[in-house]
Amino acid sequence: MIENRLEEFMIYLQNDKQMSRNTVVSYKRDLTKLVKYLAQQNITEVKNVTVTHLQSYVLYMEKSGFAAATISRNIASIKAFFHYLFKMGLVKEDSAESLKAPKIEKKMPEILTTDEVNRLLDQPKGNAPKDLRDRAMLELLYATGIRVSELIALKMSDVNFQVGYIVCRDAHKERIVPFGTPAKRALTDYVKNARGLMLADQNSDVLFTNCSGKPMSRQGFWKLVKYYARKAGITADITPHTLRHSFAAHLVENGADLRSVQEMLGHSDISTTQIYANMTQNKLREVYAKNFPRG
């Protein structure tokens, strides 16, 4: 049964490939949709899946109005699954090998101006434990450009207060990201005056908790960012990732070299980081065209 092979593939991703839980869940979500589609075609064994069936599924996603990025991600999941099946000798040929992902129009990421960032970071104004925590989280996120998943996973042992850096880890590597004085001040204030009051388990090494004293969730922090953005009068529909983009764009705009920004962001390929340089060049062209008398 295809479902059994899918479960084996999930175990392989987690144990052999050491992928994160979120990545494994994403693969399973994509492939479960494919399995349901194939079942409607009375196909329940992987050996009976042909290139035509897979191409038909891609066409079905296109006609259903799925975004190009979603279709592309699904195709990547399907390719990984069938490559695994072929590698394990469970199918005679890799039926997904010839699948082509649709072209995705790259959109410039949404970034905040420095004024908007300052207004956002100034929103948690009080001295209650929650205010100190929110201020520390926002300051640290902008100061380091880390992902929200990395922010909420931080432990006390990952923070070097004396030198001013954090250690971010995933399944394959770790990286050191520095932070400046405002973030250090906010973090120190939170740890000294709020963290102990918020923790449900005083022996926990978790850096940031929710109001119940348990580790902060992605959704919980997402709501905080939305709340403070509204209070700051920011009309753009921002997410925690907007602060990551803003961090990178502001660094490049102020002269940081791409390799350093790539390292801090944890990008495996510098071409991903290149978009921030392109944004800066576009901005320069706009300024030139608007202000140069012979433009």
Side-chain angles (χ1 to χ4, degrees), residues 111-182:
I111 66 164
L112 301 176
T113 64
T114 51
D115 176 62
E116 287 173 327
V117 169
N118 288 332
R119 280 170 21 219
L120 178 67
L121 300 186
D122 283 344
Q123 288 314 305
K125 298 180 187 297
N127 290 315
K130 181 182 180 300
D131 296 318
L132 300 184
R133 179 206 63 190
D134 295 352
R135 189 179 306 135
M137 293 188 81
L138 289 172
E139 287 281 4
L140 189 62
L141 191 65
Y142 176 64
T144 58
I146 59 176
R147 302 171 181 90
V148 66
S149 57
E150 294 170 330
L151 179 74
I152 63 176
L154 283 173
K155 305 283 191 286
M156 281 291 292
S157 52
D158 293 327
V159 186
N160 186 312
F161 286 91
Q162 187 173 0
V163 179
Y165 68 79
I166 55 173
V167 180
C168 285
R169 297 181 177 86
D170 61 28
H172 305 288
K173 60 186 177 181
E174 68 176 40
R175 71 186 192 281
I176 291 173
V177 188
F179 56 80
T181 302

Side-chain angles (χ1 to χ4, degrees), residues 24-227:
V24 173
V25 168
S26 178
Y27 271 104
K28 186 168 185 177
R29 184 171 56 243
D30 292 343
L31 292 168
T32 298
K33 292 175 188 173
L34 171 66
V35 172
K36 286 180 180 177
Y37 174 83
L38 292 172
Q40 291 170 355
Q41 318 298 315
N42 296 318
I43 300 164
T44 57
E45 298 290 341
V46 290
K47 64 183 180 181
N48 296 329
V49 181
T50 66
V51 179
T52 304
H53 292 131
L54 296 181
Q55 288 173 336
S56 172
Y57 178 61
V58 172
L59 187 62
Y60 158 76
M61 286 192 288
E62 289 173 350
K63 287 183 175 179
S64 299
F66 284 81
T70 303
I71 296 173
S72 183
R73 192 197 65 230
N74 274 266
I75 289 175
S77 299
I78 294 168
K79 279 178 164 292
F81 182 42
F82 277 86
H83 179 71
Y84 159 81
L85 295 173
F86 182 65
K87 180 181 173 184
M88 295 297 169
L90 298 170
V91 292
K92 291 182 179 179
E93 61 179 359
D94 184 348
S95 301
E97 190 175 16
S98 61
L99 289 182
K100 302 290 184 191
K103 286 187 177 180
I104 301 173
E105 184 181 339
K106 285 192 175 180
K107 293 182 180 178
M108 287 295 183
E110 183 81 45
I111 66 164
L112 301 176
T113 64
T114 51
D115 176 62
E116 287 173 327
V117 169
N118 288 332
R119 280 170 21 219
L120 178 67
L121 300 186
D122 283 344
Q123 288 314 305
K125 298 180 187 297
N127 290 315
K130 181 182 180 300
D131 296 318
L132 300 184
R133 179 206 63 190
D134 295 352
R135 189 179 306 135
M137 293 188 81
L138 289 172
E139 287 281 4
L140 189 62
L141 191 65
Y142 176 64
T144 58
I146 59 176
R147 302 171 181 90
V148 66
S149 57
E150 294 170 330
L151 179 74
I152 63 176
L154 283 173
K155 305 283 191 286
M156 281 291 292
S157 52
D158 293 327
V159 186
N160 186 312
F161 286 91
Q162 187 173 0
V163 179
Y165 68 79
I166 55 173
V167 180
C168 285
R169 297 181 177 86
D170 61 28
H172 305 288
K173 60 186 177 181
E174 68 176 40
R175 71 186 192 281
I176 291 173
V177 188
F179 56 80
T181 302
K184 181 178 181 179
R185 191 162 49 236
L187 265 177
T188 303
D189 198 10
Y190 162 69
V191 169
K192 283 177 63 177
N193 301 309
R195 181 175 173 272
L197 298 174
M198 299 188 78
L199 276 178
D201 176 8
Q202 293 298 317
N203 295 317
S204 173
D205 193 31
V206 171
L207 180 59
F208 295 114
T209 74
N210 60 24
C211 291
S212 301
K214 297 177 181 178
M216 173 71 74
S217 68
R218 292 164 61 98
Q219 294 83 355
F221 186 65
W222 184 87
K223 288 177 183 176
L224 285 180
V225 171
K226 294 283 186 184
Y227 169 71

